[in-house]
Amino acid sequence: LKFQNGDIFVDVGGFDGMTSLEFIKRCPNYGHIYIFEPSEENFKKVVENLKNYERVSIVSKGLSDKKQILKFSDSLGSKSGISKNGNIEIKVDSLDHIVKDSITFIKMDIEGAESDAISGAANSILKNHPILIISVYHKPDDIRKIFEQIYTIRDDYNVYLRHYTEGTDETVMFFIPAE
């Protein structure tokens, strides 16, 4: 991946902020970072871990296809996510509604809610043609569905798939703008 001065990074599912810190290490002259984390406990970790950085907006919301309140299970560790039986309510909104900057990079790992969040980011993807790094392992058909969804918005990406563990988790699809 190539980073440039002024890049605008969106970290959807910020967890503890470590992905954003890695981005800062690789692109110290970034333009802005937006971190979305709906879990109150994780939000506090993100705030603590990024308190010394400027041009960082930490948003205590999740992303979806529209503004709404959803049930969220926050006691399942890495399997936490949207659930009709969730133990807490979270606010969500669309990326297109919240971020008006020219986004250059989106990382998304939101425990199975990626497709709805992509729908809510369609205008940003169409207009800005950002690098996309999307987790595709939460649902059995995510690999196919997310690929098709992105290619319906823009079909000028080179696509790569990477698996990070020996188990079934952590399969990530990279959409790199074709040159």
Side-chain angles (χ1 to χ4, degrees), residues 61-75:
K61 286 184 181 180
L63 289 185
S64 190
D65 57 344
K66 61 187 173 217
K67 188 174 188 172
Q68 59 187 319
I69 295 175
L70 298 172
K71 293 278 195 172
F72 185 81
S73 295
D74 74 344
S75 59

Side-chain angles (χ1 to χ4, degrees), residues 30-47:
Y30 61 91
H32 202 92
I33 297 173
Y34 294 90
I35 305 170
F36 293 87
E37 179 50 59
S39 163
E40 188 176 321
E41 182 179 324
N42 290 340
F43 180 81
K44 290 176 185 175
K45 291 177 189 175
V46 173
V47 169

Side-chain angles (χ1 to χ4, degrees), residues 42 71 74 76 107 121 135 145-146 148 154 177:
N42 290 340
K71 293 278 195 172
D74 74 344
L76 303 174
K107 166 264 178 183
S135 291
K145 185 177 181 181
I146 289 172
E148 290 173 351
R154 289 194 76 122

Side-chain angles (χ1 to χ4, degrees), residues 12 36-38 59-64 90-94 98:
V12 186
F36 293 87
E37 179 50 59
V59 183
S60 183
K61 286 184 181 180
L63 289 185
S64 190
I90 63 165
K91 294 177 183 178
V92 297
D93 204 341
S94 71
I98 297 173

Side-chain angles (χ1 to χ4, degrees), residues 145-162:
K145 185 177 181 181
I146 289 172
F147 172 82
E148 290 173 351
Q149 186 177 15
I150 296 296
Y151 260 62
T152 298
I153 300 167
R154 289 194 76 122
D155 64 359
D156 53 350
Y157 278 104
N158 294 320
V159 180
Y160 303 90
L161 193 66
R162 184 165 181 189

